[in-house]
Amino acid sequence: MTGTYRSILIEEMRKRQRKNPAYSMRAFARDIGVSASRLSELLNSKVGLSDSRATIVADRLQLKGKEKAFFIDLVQAEHARSKLAKKAASERVKAYLLDAKKISDDDFHLISDWQNLAVLELVDIPGTPHSFSAIAKKLGISVAEAEATVARLMKVGLLKEEGGRWVVSDSDSTTTADVPSIAIQNYHRQMLERASRSLSVDPVESRDLSSVVFSLDSTQLAYAKERIREFRRVLSQELAGMPSKDKVYSLAIQLFELKGDEA
């Protein structure tokens, strides 16, 4: 489930572009009742939406009931003029997200290997051949692994077959946050190992691995984590909405206390 109203707009535009490759940002701006320049500024967080404009956009998107209220609450949580209104909207957003669909840890055990999420992204790239051999070649895995991966994704309902092609059926699912899970730990461990491999074999112009060391008030760690999550969500949604995708990447941001093994 998305965490910003901009993410909802980007995802909706992306869906329309998948149905019609000629569908442009200008067309989307027209359809939701804003100018193309305004939409560009909006998606780049340079401007926001008023309550009245949020209602108009929600209606243009044909959002109904809880979905419409959620969209407007997201806008108010960011742009409401009073702190009280912002807080109230934020609380309603949190309540809505608690009810949002999540992948259970049992299901995540089936998809905790890195290639599963990579396949979900890969089959969504326009022009990607939908065959086990093509997936295997693109991701550097065996054909047998590609077959097993697709089977797992279909078993948990994240992938379905339509007209001889695989279609992502639930792109908004998330895992639990801040809850220990062997499956989730395994996934992150694999991604760190692949980042280490990229550091050794990929040219510097095709990767970005960096770190910074700084001190902070440990009571502000929750705030730092939320800012990182928000950055990750916004960036991934923005890039996902852009055309001409051809490869699958992983973005990993690590924030942890530096201490020795005996600490």
Side-chain angles (χ1 to χ4, degrees):
M1 179 59 62
T2 185
T4 71
Y5 71 89
R6 292 182 178 87
S7 298
I8 292 177
L9 294 175
I10 291 172
E11 179 59 23
E12 178 61 28
M13 183 171 66
R14 182 186 181 194
K15 287 179 181 178
R16 297 184 185 194
Q17 288 172 337
R18 283 199 296 265
K19 293 179 180 179
N20 177 14
Y23 190 81
S24 65
M25 181 182 290
R26 183 175 297 276
F28 185 60
R30 176 201 64 212
D31 291 344
I32 64 173
V34 300
S35 68
S37 60
R38 184 74 174 181
L39 177 60
S40 178
E41 291 179 332
L42 186 65
L43 298 184
N44 285 289
S45 302
K46 294 181 178 180
V47 298
L49 286 175
S50 64
D51 288 355
S52 59
R53 179 58 61 179
T55 300
I56 293 172
V57 171
D59 289 337
R60 291 290 190 97
L61 293 175
Q62 298 185 334
L63 299 178
K64 305 292 183 182
K66 290 184 178 180
E67 290 186 348
K68 179 179 178 179
F70 178 59
F71 181 84
I72 295 173
D73 280 338
L74 285 171
V75 173
Q76 292 179 339
E78 185 173 341
H79 302 302
R81 293 186 177 182
S82 75
K83 291 184 179 180
L84 185 62
K86 279 188 176 182
K87 183 177 180 181
S90 295
E91 291 302 320
R92 291 193 297 270
V93 167
K94 289 179 181 178
Y96 186 98
L97 291 176
L98 286 175
D99 293 332
K101 182 178 179 181
K102 291 184 177 182
I103 301 173
S104 70
D105 283 348
D106 287 341
D107 285 344
F108 201 92
H109 274 286
L110 295 175
I111 61 168
S112 59
D113 290 337
W114 69 271
Q115 63 264 30
N116 296 283
L117 298 184
V119 167
L120 285 177
E121 289 296 321
L122 185 60
V123 299
D124 214 22
I125 295 177
T128 297
H130 282 213
S131 68
F132 297 124
S133 58
I135 288 176
K137 182 178 180 180
K138 194 74 173 179
L139 297 181
I141 60 178
S142 68
V143 173
E145 286 178 309
E147 293 178 353
T149 297
V150 170
R152 281 194 294 269
L153 293 171
M154 295 185 72
K155 181 178 181 180
V156 300
L158 294 180
L159 204 63
K160 59 184 178 181
E161 188 171 2
E162 292 183 355
R165 295 179 62 83
W166 294 304
V167 179
V168 178
S169 56
D170 190 359
S171 61
D172 286 336
S173 293
T174 63
T175 62
T176 52
D178 287 339
V179 177
S181 163
I182 293 176
I184 296 175
Q185 291 171 6
N186 181 55
Y187 168 75
H188 288 303
R189 185 176 297 109
Q190 290 185 52
M191 299 310 290
L192 288 172
E193 290 171 352
R194 299 196 72 79
S196 177
R197 176 180 179 275
S198 177
L199 183 64
S200 300
V201 303
D202 293 336
V204 66
E205 61 269 17
S206 66
R207 59 174 170 79
D208 184 70
L209 300 175
S210 60
S211 65
V212 59
V213 176
F214 57 91
S215 58
L216 59 81
D217 181 345
S218 59
T219 63
Q220 299 301 315
L221 184 59
Y223 169 77
K225 292 170 67 175
E226 180 54 36
R227 287 295 304 275
I228 291 172
R229 288 170 183 158
E230 183 65 19
F231 164 75
R232 190 176 63 227
R233 285 194 295 263
V234 171
L235 179 62
S236 62
Q237 290 288 349
E238 287 179 354
L239 294 176
M242 296 179 182
S244 303
K245 296 183 289 293
D246 61 347
K247 294 182 180 179
V248 179
Y249 286 81
S250 171
L251 170 65
I253 302 172
Q254 294 87 37
L255 175 66
F256 55 91
E257 181 183 356
L258 286 176
K259 55 185 178 181
D261 294 338
E262 301 301 322

